[in-house]
Amino acid sequence: MSFRYASRRLRSQGLLKASSRLNGCARVTPVWQICRGVASTPTAEKVLFPGALNSEFTDTLDFLQPATNKAISTYRVMNQYGEILDKEIGVDTTDEEALALYKNMVKLSIMDLLMFEAQRQGRLSFYMVSAGEEGISIGSASALSPADVIFCQYRECGVYMQRGFTLDDFMNQLFANAKDNGLGRNMPVHYGSRELNIHTISSTLATQIPHAAGAAYALKLQNMQNPAVEPRIAVCFFGEGAASEGDFHAALNIAATRQVPAIFICRNNGYAISTPTSDQYRGDGIASRGAGYGIATLRVDGNDIFAVRRAIKSARSLALQDGGRPLLIEMMAYRVGHHSTSDDSFAYRQRVEVEDWKRRDNPITRLRKYLELNHLWDDAKDKALRSALRKEVLSAFERAEKVGKPSLKNAFEGVWAEVTEEQRAHISELRDIIERYPEEYDVGGFEGGVGGLDELLKGKEGS
């Protein structure tokens, strides 16, 4: 797309204004960079300063006291009894869709339970459950376009499941076997799928947030250059603990100043591993930070999958307006499970607290109550579904457990465009150690055994 066409398009959207011409093309200046330096007239009623546009003058000394302000409201469509609050508006979800969403949430919860038990049996090295947060991931994914680019943290298995990640895909990654998309390079629960437009999960906290802001800026340019193609947005998931990292603040500021089409979804589940929210921040949750960055913000009841879906649908529409804009959505849902299989949450919270939340409300039971009230579900159907899904999960688990490990060459191949001299030395040293200590380093379960390393060395010798 030519510079002239791009600037003309931006001006038509009110995002740019021409100020002069340079080499035959208009030199444009963004609207947000055009303002008066200071209020220069005696009758001015507002500050016209670049750092605080439209601030009214006052002769009253009054500090802003956040504690005295009313807390941001939490949007919901359905109460904890499965009753729709505004029956005229409804739920924007058909009965068939509601049933499919419920079945996926149940499947996710069963997979979580079985994989947690498998780790305790020593058959998996690590796992993280999504208990209490299934409605956020599955509800959000169901309201997005399959072409939208997603950046997950490590509790969004439901996003993958809703987009078509199969049970075999999950199990292959958990076992890091030869059929794993990542070829054994990542620890369990760090899924990724190029086909589903979901970037691979990283353990490093909050790094995906600036990545999402950058991707959204790229998508903004692509949307402008390809008006005939359906526009896309970037979507980023993270926990409230990640919002304490500097990456969160940098990313939101970049997204706001560049006006990128992105939705930032914060799962506020009450705990950052063992740190409760009361020790993480003093303000009104994470949603209150959106206004400071000039970002449209909403707080949603994460146990209400209908509210989640409607919020994401509306947010996606807003994100594509006027060339692009970011939004922040804080989803509220209590973390019922432990942080991971490496954590014992009862060391820092009372068991009765967790049991009370399980009994009182969660996204699966709330949606089930809705389905039962509308005569779409009953105990017999639920029992049959859970039995069938349990068998499906266990079958996929057993299949993946029998698949061999990827070739050892994957520990080196793909790190650089070509294997470096330093890597060749490492490969030779590793091969020597494996041969000298075969009992300690049994590589018979890996494709090609130690021969996988020979492939890399021979490939270099023949070049």
Side-chain angles (χ1 to χ4, degrees), residues 58-118:
T58 178
D59 58 359
T60 302
L61 179 61
D62 187 14
F63 286 94
L64 181 64
Q65 300 284 354
T68 63
N69 293 337
K70 185 179 179 181
I72 297 172
S73 301
T74 301
Y75 176 70
R76 60 161 41 173
V77 171
M78 169 177 59
N79 65 22
Q80 66 192 70
Y81 305 108
E83 301 167 339
I84 303 305
L85 301 177
D86 190 333
K87 293 181 174 56
E88 290 187 9
I89 297 178
V91 297
D92 298 334
T93 304
T94 66
D95 291 345
E96 292 74 17
E97 288 174 331
L99 285 168
L101 292 169
Y102 177 76
K103 291 175 182 178
N104 258 359
M105 284 201 290
V106 173
K107 182 193 293 187
L108 176 56
S109 68
I110 290 175
M111 183 179 78
D112 278 351
L113 177 63
L114 293 176
M115 293 307 101
F116 189 90
E117 292 175 349

